[in-house]
Amino acid sequence: MNTTAAANFSSDYATVSSRIVPSTAEGIALCTAFILSFVFIVVGNLLTIVLFAVNKRLRKKSLLLVINMAFADLMLGTVSLPIYIYDVGRRFQLWKGGWSMSLKIFYTIVDVFFSQASLISAAFISGERFYAIYWPFKHRTLSMRAYRIVIVTLWALTLLIATSWTTSYLISYKRAVFVWTPYVLILIFIICGCNICIWRKFRHGSIASQQPNRDLLNKRLTKTLMLVSILASLSWLPLVILNCLVYVYDVQITRTFYDLVNVINYSNSFADPVLYALRMHEFKEAWALCFLRKPAAPNTLALKPATE
């Protein structure tokens, strides 16, 4: 949630120190990194959503949460990141411009909403994979309607959290950080806990195997989504730690370092489409059909399409 970097937008936060004369080279490097992140986020997630829409092989239950996360990441990159880039360039005097309170509030609301939707989606994906691995037969009976209910619940929870955060932020940013930090850590612990349990299940080789092809595809999907959720956790931890240092222990942090941490946080939004393209056969096949006009190389594991 890059709104934790919203402290950079105001001189009210003395704990985030800055140079009197910002380095132009630093500003150019940071803006370049953020612009590249913007391009990769928009292109990667937009193509993921388009492939899901046009390719029937991708329209299955197990990928609904994945597409939901891709949509949240796409909106985060499309709406939130350009405003952040504008502020970074303004602070480093790369271009002229003002920073009004209304723009600051708009950025805060949008960034909180979509970044939390992405993080909560990662937690839900971990939980869904945990359920699929430990109770595979019950998981297969889940209907598409159940997944839609989960997604509606996810966005309702996101709205509640975003509203609470924004209200706390407008009253006291430091108080909001005290509330936000435990909440994010809980989500990260959920993600890590589910993935550790899944890893232990794989390690002991106790996955249901009445349908070997389907179970192997399910295992491959689970490993890919484990990587997605682990990357989400790793991209959030530096931001959580940094905010604890700044707002709990009053550690002096330069704005440039704060921006670098946000590069890591934003980069998670384009890492997911790369993982899908590299590790998921269905996405590889969809890419081949779209760009090569012929299906990908046959995969014996895909002869029986999984319905998970």
Side-chain angles (χ1 to χ4, degrees):
M1 179 172 60
N2 303 293
T3 49
T4 51
N8 295 333
F9 303 149
S10 173
S11 59
D12 297 338
Y13 300 94
T15 50
V16 182
S17 62
S18 61
R19 296 187 181 95
I20 296 176
V21 180
S23 168
T24 302
E26 288 180 0
I28 293 174
L30 283 171
C31 285
T32 301
F34 281 118
I35 290 171
L36 288 174
S37 297
F38 165 78
V39 173
F40 292 146
I41 289 171
V42 173
V43 173
N45 288 289
L46 184 59
L47 286 176
T48 298
I49 294 171
V50 170
L51 286 176
F52 180 82
V54 301
N55 193 292
K56 293 182 179 180
R57 288 182 59 84
L58 297 178
R59 297 179 201 166
K60 50 188 182 181
K61 297 181 296 182
S62 57
L63 295 181
L64 284 179
L65 289 173
V66 170
I67 300 304
N68 185 76
M69 188 175 182
F71 174 76
D73 287 334
L74 174 64
M75 296 305 297
L76 184 68
T78 304
V79 183
S80 174
L81 188 50
I83 302 177
Y84 192 85
I85 295 171
Y86 164 77
D87 184 70
V88 171
R90 180 187 64 84
R91 284 191 282 107
F92 282 93
Q93 301 175 7
L94 299 181
W95 46 72
K96 296 181 179 179
W99 185 259
S100 64
M101 179 59 69
S102 59
L103 181 59
K104 178 179 177 180
I105 293 174
F106 174 76
Y107 169 82
T108 301
I109 294 172
V110 170
D111 192 74
V112 172
F113 185 77
F114 290 113
S115 62
Q116 289 310 291
S118 179
L119 180 60
I120 295 172
S121 294
F124 272 63
I125 287 172
S126 297
E128 190 267 350
R129 287 293 92 194
F130 176 83
Y131 186 75
I133 293 302
Y134 276 83
W135 296 279
F137 303 112
K138 290 184 178 179
H139 176 265
R140 288 169 191 165
T141 63
L142 290 176
S143 65
M144 193 71 77
R145 182 172 178 270
Y147 278 83
R148 293 193 183 103
I149 292 173
V150 168
I151 290 174
V152 170
T153 302
L154 185 155
W155 284 101
L157 183 60
T158 300
L159 180 61
L160 176 63
I161 292 168
T163 303
S164 302
W165 162 264
T166 305
T167 303
S168 301
Y169 168 75
L170 294 176
I171 296 173
S172 170
Y173 189 83
K174 188 170 184 177
R175 182 186 302 173
V177 170
F178 275 107
V179 174
W180 171 79
T181 301
Y183 149 74
V184 174
L185 287 176
I186 288 172
L187 287 181
I188 292 175
F189 288 151
I190 291 173
I191 292 171
C192 293
C194 289
N195 288 325
I196 289 172
C197 291
I198 292 171
W199 174 77
R200 291 185 63 184
K201 191 81 169 178
F202 284 155
R203 186 181 179 187
H204 290 91
S206 52
I207 308 297
S209 58
Q210 289 186 3
Q211 296 176 299
N213 286 346
R214 169 185 278 181
D215 291 330
L216 197 52
L217 283 170
N218 188 31
K219 187 174 181 178
R220 179 185 294 174
L221 173 63
T222 301
K223 287 183 177 180
T224 301
L225 297 182
M226 280 176 64
L227 287 175
V228 169
S229 53
I230 288 170
L231 284 177
S233 300
L234 293 177
S235 70
W236 279 88
L237 274 176
L239 198 57
V240 173
I241 294 171
L242 189 60
N243 276 277
C244 287
L245 292 175
V246 171
Y247 294 101
V248 177
Y249 298 102
D250 295 326
V251 176
Q252 295 290 319
I253 301 294
T254 64
R255 291 185 175 185
T256 300
F257 186 72
Y258 223 122
D259 290 329
L260 287 173
V261 172
N262 278 312
V263 170
I264 297 173
N265 189 249
Y266 272 118
S267 65
N268 177 67
S269 295
F270 70 76
D272 299 341
V274 175
L275 281 175
Y276 305 149
L278 293 177
R279 291 187 55 86
M280 295 180 67
H281 175 76
E282 294 88 351
F283 275 93
K284 290 180 183 178
E285 197 171 61
W287 283 108
L289 288 172
C290 288
F291 295 103
L292 302 179
R293 299 300 179 184
K294 62 181 181 178
N299 188 329
T300 56
L301 296 178
L303 295 177
K304 292 184 179 181
T307 57
E308 276 10 286

